[in-house]
Amino acid sequence: MTDPLSAVDDAIPSLELVLEHARRYLEDARGPVRRRDADEAARSFARALPDEGDGALSVIRGLLERGTRAHIRSGGPRFFHWVIGGSTPAALAADWFAVLIDQNAGGWDSSPIAAQLEDLSLRWLLDLFRLPAEWGGVLTTGATMANFSALAAARQWWGEQQGVDVAGEGLAGLPPVPVFTSGFVHVTALKALAMLGIGRSAVTYCCADETGRLDLGALERALASQGGRPAIVLASAGEVNAGQFDPISEMAALARDNNAWLHVDGAFGLFARASPRTEALAEGVDQADSVISDGHKWLNVPHDCGFAFVRDPSLLTKVFSVSASYLTEEEDGYGFRGPELSRRARSLAVWATLAAYGRTGYRALVERCLDNAAHVTRVVDSADDFELLAPAPLNVVCFRYRPAGLGEADLDELNARIGQAILRDGRVYVGTTRWGGRVAFRPAFVNWQTTTADADLMLEAVRELGQALG
Ligand SMILES: *Cc1c(COP(=O)(O)O)cnc(C)c1O
C-alpha cells in the first residue's frame, strides 16, 4: 500500500525530477509545438483506478515523459494560434512557489502574502494601462470570468438605476437588460451575459459592414431610443480575428450621454497601452465603467489568470460577498470581489513578472510583438502568393494563402485544409478564422520569446503546405 504519509520523503525527489525535466524543456523552447505521437501518448494514460498506487516517483516520471509527448507547446515562441502567451522566467518560478505554499487567496487571514500581492498587482496593472488609480478589481481565471465579474457589476448598477438590488432580488419582474455592441464582441462576453441571466439575445448589434465594424450612428440612434433608460454598451479593445478596435472614446461619450454602462473587453488589446506606438488604439478606456484583460495572454503569466477592473468596485462586493458565521471580518477580501471564494494565489506570478521586468520590460515585450506583426504584414503584402485581408493595427495579422488562378470557394477550401495540416505538421501552430466571409490565417503575437525568424517559419510552413495541397 502506498499511503502518502508513509511516502512523505518522495516530495523532494519528485520535485527534482520536475526541475531536471525543466532544464531540458526550457532549452528546447523551439521544439515541435505538437509531436506526431501526441494523441497516442495522451491515450496511453487511460486505465482503471489502481488499487495499489505506483508511488510518486514512478508516476511523475511517466507524467513527464508521456505528458510532454502529449502536450502542446503553447507557451513556446512558435505558437500563434488563438491568443496564448507563455510564462516569463519570473512568472514561472513564482507560480511554482505559489503551488509550493498552496495559499487560499480568499482574504488576508487566509494568506497575507496573496492578499498583499493581489492588491499590489492590481494597482500596478492600473498604472501600466494608465487607468484611474481609484478603480478596484479582482484577479480571475481569465477574460471569460473577468467579463462575467465586470458585467455582474454592470448588472448590479443597472438594477440600482431602477431601485432594485439584483444581487438580492434577482431579475424577475424587471424588463430585459438592453445591451449594445459591434460585431467585434467576443463570444465570452456573450457567454457572460448568458451566465448572468441577461441572455445572449438581449444584444443589439450595430454593425457597419460584414467584418462587424461598429456603426457609430446606429449605436447613437439605438441608445437615444432608450430615452434615458439604463443600458449596457460592450466595446472591444482588440478583437480576435484581426486585432481591430472599436472607437472607445466615442462609445464612452455616447454611454455617458445616454445613461449607459460602458464595458471594455481588452483581453489582449489593453496591452496596446503599454507602448506609445499603439496607445491611441485604446484611447478612452479610462472613461469606461469596467475594463478587463487577460494575464495568460500578453502578460505572459501561466494559466490561468485574468483581471477585471471596475470604476466603482463596491458593486463587485455587492454581488460577490457572502456572509457566514465561520467567515469573520473578511468583508474586504478578494474572495468577496469575484465568483470564487477559495482561489489560487495567481497574484504571485503577476506581481513577480511586473516586479522583474517593470514598465520598460513590458514595453519592450509588447513592441517586439508589434514588430513581428508588422514584419509579417510587410512580407504578406509584398508576396505574390499571400494576401493581407485587413490592416493589422496591433499584433494579429489576418491573411490568406493565395496562389494565382483560384476562385473564392477554392481559396477558402485550400486555406481551411492548410489550417488543418499545419496543426498536424506541428512545427508551428496557427489557426484560421473567417474575415468578411473568407477563410484566413490570423497569427497572434503575444509570446515574450517569439523572434522574427519564428514568424518567418510560420509563413514558410503556410506556403509549403499550401504548395503541397494546392
Ligand atoms: C481570449 C479572449 C477572451 C476569453 O479569455 P479567456 O482567458 O480564454 O477566458 C475574451 N475576450 C477576448 C477579446 C479574448 O481575446
Side-chain angles (χ1 to χ4, degrees):
M1 186 193 65
T2 316
D3 176 335
L5 189 59
S6 65
V8 52
D9 293 340
D10 283 353
I12 295 297
S14 299
L15 288 171
E16 278 168 352
L17 285 176
V18 177
L19 183 61
E20 191 45 46
H21 185 80
R23 271 186 241 287
R24 276 172 283 133
Y25 184 75
L26 294 179
E27 269 169 23
D28 193 29
R30 290 184 167 75
V33 176
R34 182 195 184 99
R35 293 182 44 144
R36 300 290 164 101
D37 61 349
D39 297 334
E40 294 120 69
R43 288 193 199 102
S44 74
F45 282 90
R47 64 186 271 212
L49 171 69
D51 286 327
E52 292 294 325
D54 298 338
L57 285 162
S58 154
V59 165
I60 296 304
R61 256 189 221 104
L63 177 63
L64 296 173
E65 198 272 313
R66 282 182 293 154
T68 306
R69 280 199 277 140
H71 98 308
I72 301 296
R73 200 182 293 271
S74 52
R78 293 183 171 172
F79 186 93
F80 309 101
H81 204 350
W82 304 298
V83 189
I84 293 184
S87 300
T88 63
L92 175 61
D95 213 53
W96 279 22
F97 177 62
V99 175
L100 177 72
I101 60 175
D102 191 19
Q103 300 294 278
N104 182 335
W108 190 277
D109 284 351
S110 64
S111 176
I113 186 61
Q116 173 66 36
L117 292 189
E118 182 150 356
D119 202 48
L120 204 51
S121 297
L122 290 165
R123 281 175 205 281
W124 285 1
L125 289 166
L126 285 171
D127 185 358
L128 183 67
F129 300 128
R130 281 170 297 101
L131 293 169
E134 331 65 83
W135 288 18
V138 65
L139 295 180
T140 65
T141 50
T144 302
M145 287 314 280
N147 274 326
F148 174 83
S149 305
L151 289 171
R155 186 188 62 173
Q156 188 66 16
W157 166 85
W158 179 84
E160 285 178 4
Q161 294 296 298
Q162 300 163 86
V164 176
D165 168 19
V166 173
E169 296 163 50
L171 286 164
L174 286 166
V177 184
V179 182
F180 302 95
T181 191
S182 76
F184 289 171
V185 66
H186 194 263
V187 285
T188 60
L190 305 178
K191 176 173 169 172
L193 296 177
M195 292 192 285
L196 288 162
I198 294 173
R200 291 184 167 95
S201 62
V203 177
T204 302
Y205 294 91
C206 306
C207 302
D209 60 29
E210 60 180 352
T211 69
R213 198 164 52 82
L214 179 75
D215 182 337
L216 198 63
L219 177 65
E220 184 167 13
R221 288 189 295 279
L223 283 171
S225 75
Q226 293 295 307
R229 289 189 303 275
I232 297 173
V233 174
L234 305 179
S236 294
E239 59 74 47
V240 287
N241 297 308
Q244 308 286 311
F245 284 67
D246 282 329
I248 296 162
S249 288
E250 286 85 348
M251 293 169 89
L254 286 179
R256 195 171 46 240
D257 293 348
N258 291 280
N259 194 27
W261 175 288
L262 179 66
H263 171 72
V264 180
D265 179 346
F268 61 92
L270 195 58
F271 285 76
R273 308 264 292 179
S275 165
R277 281 163 53 183
T278 45
E279 63 185 340
L281 291 168
E283 201 178 314
V285 293
D286 51 333
Q287 294 157 51
D289 298 288
S290 55
V291 177
I292 67 100
S293 191
D294 244 322
H296 48 231
K297 291 179 179 171
W298 223 340
L299 190 64
N300 284 270
V301 300
H303 287 93
D304 41 23
C305 182
F307 22 97
F309 297 116
V310 180
R311 177 181 295 279
D312 175 3
S314 74
L315 291 163
L316 289 175
T317 323
K318 285 176 186 163
V319 179
F320 294 116
S321 67
V322 290
S323 64
S325 50
Y326 72 96
L327 296 168
T328 50
E329 38 116 351
E330 286 275 304
E331 293 298 332
D332 224 13
Y334 285 100
F336 288 74
R337 292 185 210 171
E340 297 96 359
L341 182 61
S342 299
R343 330 160 51 241
R344 72 189 305 270
R346 50 181 68 82
S347 63
L348 273 58
V350 175
W351 168 83
T353 200
L354 291 172
Y357 313 112
R359 202 190 308 274
T360 56
Y362 269 89
R363 177 173 163 182
L365 189 168
V366 164
E367 291 185 347
R368 191 161 53 250
C369 294
L370 298 176
D371 289 343
N372 286 330
H375 169 77
V376 167
T377 303
R378 275 193 306 276
V379 173
V380 161
D381 221 17
S382 61
D384 294 337
D385 55 352
F386 286 135
E387 181 187 12
L388 189 69
L389 292 181
L394 193 66
N395 63 331
V396 182
V397 185
C398 188
F399 75 97
R400 63 178 172 175
Y401 178 62
R402 186 179 190 172
L406 289 189
E408 283 300 322
D410 289 338
L411 284 173
D412 282 348
E413 206 220 303
L414 176 57
N415 278 278
R417 280 168 54 220
I418 303 169
Q420 286 161 7
I422 211 158
L423 303 187
R424 284 194 307 275
D425 177 90
R427 279 174 291 170
V428 302
Y429 238 50
V430 60
T432 56
T433 187
R434 277 183 182 269
W435 183 253
R438 295 163 172 165
V439 175
F441 288 91
R442 43 136 338 267
F445 296 92
V446 287
N447 187 284
W448 62 282
Q449 262 184 305
T450 299
T451 61
T452 308
D454 298 316
D456 282 335
L457 179 67
M458 182 272 301
L459 289 171
E460 259 166 56
V462 171
R463 177 177 278 140
E464 188 189 304
L465 291 167
Q467 285 166 352
L469 294 167

